[in-house]
Amino acid sequence: MGTLIQNGTVVNADDRKRADLLIEDGKISEVRAGIDPASHTIVDATGLLLLPGGVDAHTHMDMPFGGTISADDFLTGTRAAAIGGTTTIVDFAIQARGTRMRDAFDIWRGKAEGKACIDYGLHMIVTDLGSDAGKQGLHDMDDMVREGVASFKLFMAYPNVLMVDDGTIFKALQQTAKNGALICMHAENGSVIDTIVQQTLAEGKTAPIYHALTRPTIAEAEAVNRCIAMAEIAGTPVYIVHLSSEDALNQVREARDRGLPAFAETCPQYLLLSLEDHMPGKSFEEAKYVFTPPLREKKNQPKLWDGLVHDHLQVVSTDHCPFCFADQKVLGKDDFTKIPNGGPGVENRMQVIYHHGVNAGKITLERFVEITSTAPARIFGMYPKKGLLAKGSDADVILWDPNAEHVISAATHNMRVDYSMFEGWRVNGNARMVFSRGELIVDGGRYIGVEGRGQYLRREARGGAWQ
Ligand code: URP
Ligand code: ZN
Ligand code: ZN
């Protein structure tokens, strides 16, 4: 006996149709009109859309950063994600300098074990390839690929903390050309930014706005251009994380126009929030919007939306990295460099992109599915298990009510953070029910699944197969 969802509209990245969807043994077993109800449990989806569960390929649960730890752990963060319609995350394990990648892998599996409410994969942040000309680190990368860690993040920013030099980046890129994994790049010129930061602090400028003003868009564009060039020489794809500006986007577009396998994500905060509106330089409250790359001028927003429409950008992820205002953001009260970088978003991604993308007529429903679920599943080696409503895929299904009205607020949200980046926003469209591997885990905005039921996802290294 299975669960039969009747009378809904099934939406995939390439089409939509009125059909029933049958779930058996955690998988989708049939999608077609008129499936025999037999002895199945019936769920009526009249007026609802059936969407593949959201895939958020960029989260930071329980992450040490700037002398504190991100406020959501794998329990609170994935529960909130599920309530918002996301059924898969890919989080970042961090290799501490001088340690092995396996150490970080074990630590992050431990953080998620018994807590994750939805399925999760891990990227590995590489900080150190070791002292033997990188041999050990490159061997560790292969080891991680065998564990299903099919992607690595490297930083061109945050000198002395996470930043690695171009030689390290190039070696890692060359290794992925062999093992088929994907390098994700935090692309900002860290040395230039650090110089501007020191000069700015020396002038006594310490407010949150200076976090943004010390990180020009050209520093992002330069790093995007440099890492794409290194990937081209290494003969391998590259994926730019949290792309925030038109200048950076132009670099990706030009590379893709030349046929290079360059991919990029942006995030709701860059599409919907701006320097003018959220960081006018008036109060320390603006620390709520300190993340990296920073908020940009409003004129960038239509360019980013246009990039999503024309596939210059492939994915919308959140970069969910929450810090409470009252006792974490405040660490930087007298010095913007001490404000922990990051913002909360994992619960709201589907809502705000649906409302401001689909309802506003900027993107089609199918494109919404593509950028929030199918493309990240494909790029990060989880497709067609995730990101698709078809026979054989995991039964990660959202029953999406396109008319539900929801007001976003820290007073009612489920993330463990004391503010919302979208406080008071009214959105239409929300998850009514969420199934994960066939289990109903969210009903009417409440998580009803077992805590810790989420499984580690061993992801496939695609080896450029998505080109
Ligand atoms: O501000 C941000 N983005 N915090 C998380 C770390 C990162 O660079 O993704
Ligand atoms: Zn980053
Ligand atoms: Zn991040």
Side-chain angles (χ1 to χ4, degrees), residues 217-218 220-221 243-254 296-297 299-304:
T217 55
I218 302 170
E220 185 183 22
L243 187 143
S244 67
S245 65
E246 180 188 7
D247 286 341
L249 176 61
N250 286 341
Q251 303 299 323
V252 176
R253 198 193 56 239
E254 280 166 25
R296 303 301 193 184
E297 289 175 79
K299 65 180 184 191
N300 290 278
Q301 292 173 359
K303 306 295 180 185
L304 296 177

Side-chain angles (χ1 to χ4, degrees), residues 12 20 96 152 169 225 294 318 357 422 435:
N12 276 309
D20 301 339
F152 299 86
I169 291 170
N225 178 51
T318 57
F422 310 108
F435 291 85

Side-chain angles (χ1 to χ4, degrees), residues 224-288:
V224 169
N225 178 51
R226 184 160 32 108
C227 79
I228 291 174
M230 287 189 276
E232 183 175 6
I233 298 167
T236 198
V238 68
Y239 178 95
I240 314 297
V241 293
H242 48 44
L243 187 143
S244 67
S245 65
E246 180 188 7
D247 286 341
L249 176 61
N250 286 341
Q251 303 299 323
V252 176
R253 198 193 56 239
E254 280 166 25
R256 290 179 63 81
D257 285 350
R258 286 201 293 122
L260 293 177
F263 303 90
E265 66 178 22
T266 189
C267 311
Q269 52 271 35
Y270 304 119
L271 291 161
L272 299 169
L273 308 180
S274 69
L275 200 54
E276 294 94 322
D277 289 346
H278 298 87
M279 198 164 276
K282 293 203 174 122
S283 82
F284 185 72
E285 282 268 318
E286 294 163 26
K288 291 175 178 173

Side-chain angles (χ1 to χ4, degrees), residues 58 60 63 65 153 155 158 186 242 270 290-293 319 321 341-342:
H58 190 149
H60 301 279
M63 183 183 83
F65 192 85
K153 182 178 179 187
F155 283 79
Y158 303 127
H186 180 128
H242 48 44
Y270 304 119
V290 166
F291 33 75
T292 306
D319 195 6
C321 189
N341 288 196

Side-chain angles (χ1 to χ4, degrees), residues 1 35 99 105 143 147 185 256 305 326 372 407 424 441:
M1 183 177 122
I35 298 175
T99 70
F105 178 72
D143 185 34
E147 291 288 0
M185 196 65 72
R256 290 179 63 81
W305 281 108
T372 58
V407 179
I441 60 167

Side-chain angles (χ1 to χ4, degrees), residues 135-148:
K135 272 205 203 96
Q136 176 182 287
L138 300 176
H139 167 274
D140 278 7
M141 287 176 70
D142 290 349
D143 185 34
M144 288 297 99
V145 170
R146 285 189 290 272
E147 291 288 0

